[in-house]
């Protein structure tokens, strides 16, 4: 990488960091491009040139969240898992780590989408990616013969989304004051009870 490329990369990162900070502190609409530029110590024109403005900034933050390496790594571990409990534990752990790292981005996206058509489209795309990651999880549980009678992969995806989608950690951590670790353990236990077949339990 040349020095010029390093500078361009550093500038882009500074703009993204500034946007993420101000979106979280002020909200998407109150954070202005001029404020983001000042926070990043660049000219407003640079913000537009690098990211195309606020919607481009939020789109890039969402892309970073939805393509975080932890997702691919977790799905790889799940594909090789032979213990259904381990599958649920991997999902719970990954969702907790992602929420700890990207809760601010998720909050901005969810709070802005009802008031902005462009962000609503970004939310729909992010949700499709997020829910889609539960499909191979449900399929693996089915392959292991671990799903309770009457539960197919589509139902399993819905249940996984209920426990590990957007709202669960916000309720348990933000509203109830639970630690992320406590929330992770509880959600994993509930998902097991709802999804996994137990020979000792009635159907």
């Amino acid at each position: 990488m040349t020095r010029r490329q390093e500078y361009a990369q550093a500038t882009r990162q500074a703009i993204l960091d500034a946007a993420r900070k101000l979106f979280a502190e002020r909200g998407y609409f109150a954070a202005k491009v001029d404020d983001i530029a000042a926070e990043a110590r660049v000219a407003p024109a640079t913000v537009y040139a690098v990211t195309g403005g606020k919607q481009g900034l939020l789109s890039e933050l969402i892309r970073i969240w939805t393509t975080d390496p932890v997702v691919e790594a977790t799905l790889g571990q799940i594909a090789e898992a032979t213990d259904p409990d381990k599958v649920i534990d991997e999902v719970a752990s990954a969702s907790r780590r992602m929420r700890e790292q990207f809760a601010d981005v998720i909050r901005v996206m969810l709070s802005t989408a009802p008031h902005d058509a462009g962000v609503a489209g970004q939310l729909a795309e992010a949700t499709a990616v997020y829910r889609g990651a539960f499909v191979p999880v449900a399929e693996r549980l089915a392959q292991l013969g671990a799903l309770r009678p009457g539960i197919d992969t589509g139902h399993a995806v819905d249940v996984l989304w209920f426990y590990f989608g957007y709202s669960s950690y916000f309720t348990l951590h933000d509203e109830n004051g639970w630690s992320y670790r406590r929330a992770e353990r509880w959600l994993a236990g509930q998902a097991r009870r709802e999804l996994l077949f137990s020979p000792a339990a009635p159907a």
Side-chain angles (χ1 to χ4, degrees), residues 93-184:
S93 175
S95 67
R96 185 261 307 161
R97 285 179 285 160
M98 293 287 281
R99 186 55 58 90
E100 284 182 312
Q101 187 174 354
F102 295 107
D104 58 332
V105 175
I106 298 171
R107 285 192 194 95
V108 169
M109 179 183 65
L110 293 175
S111 63
T112 306
H115 312 288
D116 186 284
V119 178
Q122 293 173 332
L123 170 59
E125 293 176 4
T127 299
V129 172
Y130 194 172
R131 281 187 65 104
F134 292 125
V135 173
V137 178
E139 290 174 343
R140 186 57 181 158
L141 291 172
Q143 290 167 0
L144 295 173
L147 294 176
R148 289 173 53 198
I151 295 182
D152 59 16
T153 55
H155 185 117
V157 169
D158 289 343
V159 171
L160 290 166
W161 178 255
F162 177 82
Y163 286 113
F164 303 111
Y166 293 128
S167 61
S168 57
Y169 279 105
F170 286 139
T171 298
L172 296 175
H173 179 267
D174 296 3
E175 298 176 16
N176 290 1
W178 290 18
S179 69
Y180 276 115
R181 291 284 188 178
R182 180 185 177 187
E184 174 192 343

Side-chain angles (χ1 to χ4, degrees), residues 20-83:
R20 184 170 178 175
K21 177 176 182 288
L22 294 182
F23 287 165
E25 291 178 354
R26 305 180 186 180
Y28 178 80
F29 296 108
K32 306 301 182 185
V33 168
D34 286 358
D35 300 328
I36 294 169
E39 180 73 23
R41 297 185 179 182
V42 299
T46 304
V47 175
Y48 287 107
V50 171
T51 63
K54 290 202 301 183
Q55 190 162 321
L57 284 165
L58 184 56
S59 179
E60 180 62 11
L61 291 172
I62 292 171
R63 185 199 67 77
I64 292 170
W65 158 50
T66 56
T67 61
D68 189 272
V70 72
V71 177
E72 184 177 353
T74 299
L75 292 178
Q77 292 170 334
I78 286 171
E80 297 178 358
T82 58
D83 181 355

